[in-house]
Amino acid sequence: MKYIGGKWKAVILIHLIEKKRYNELRKELPMVTERTISLQLKELEEDGLITRTVHTSKPPLKVDYELTEFGKTLIPLLQSIAQWGKETAVKDNRVSKVVEV
């Protein structure tokens, strides 16, 4: 739980199963403030779960985030949690169908 505890870490990690630019991640998580995403990304990087790559070849700077090999070990767990959440939402009539992760 030290690595994925909290409200948004697991959500951010599941979105980073595929490498993403910071702006892509922001668009996919409109319900999360920019400050929160930045803080969570910093903690995930410090914990060795993601890497941050800054491309400085031309302005504006572009920043990519992706799972490290250690972070990739969480993929089955994250997918199981996401699937359970979606099935529970359907069962509780919060959504009408389950979308695969």
Side-chain angles (χ1 to χ4, degrees):
M1 292 310 295
K2 171 189 179 258
Y3 295 106
I4 63 169
K7 188 172 181 180
W8 298 112
K9 283 185 181 177
V11 174
I12 291 169
L13 286 168
I14 202 151
H15 282 273
L16 290 177
I17 287 176
E18 293 188 19
K19 178 164 63 169
K20 295 228 173 18
R21 292 232 160 104
Y22 178 80
N23 286 332
E24 291 176 297
L25 191 58
R26 284 279 301 127
K27 287 177 187 172
E28 291 180 8
L29 302 169
M31 70 299 263
V32 186
T33 67
E34 189 169 342
R35 181 178 190 277
T36 298
I37 290 176
S38 294
L39 290 172
Q40 297 297 289
L41 288 169
K42 184 177 180 180
E43 288 179 19
L44 291 167
E45 185 180 12
E46 288 171 357
D47 288 339
L49 294 174
I50 64 170
T51 59
R52 177 181 187 264
T53 306
V54 179
H55 302 279
T56 59
S57 58
K58 57 184 175 183
L61 293 178
K62 297 191 183 204
V63 180
D64 290 334
Y65 291 92
E66 64 184 314
L67 297 177
T68 61
E69 289 305 313
F70 178 51
K72 289 177 184 176
T73 64
L74 287 170
I75 291 173
L77 173 66
L78 295 168
Q79 289 174 326
S80 294
I81 290 170
Q83 187 64 32
W84 177 84
K86 289 175 183 177
E87 290 171 1
T88 301
V90 168
K91 184 176 135 190
D92 292 346
N93 295 316
R94 294 183 190 162
V95 295
S96 58
K97 67 178 183 174
V98 174
V99 179
E100 292 299 317
V101 177

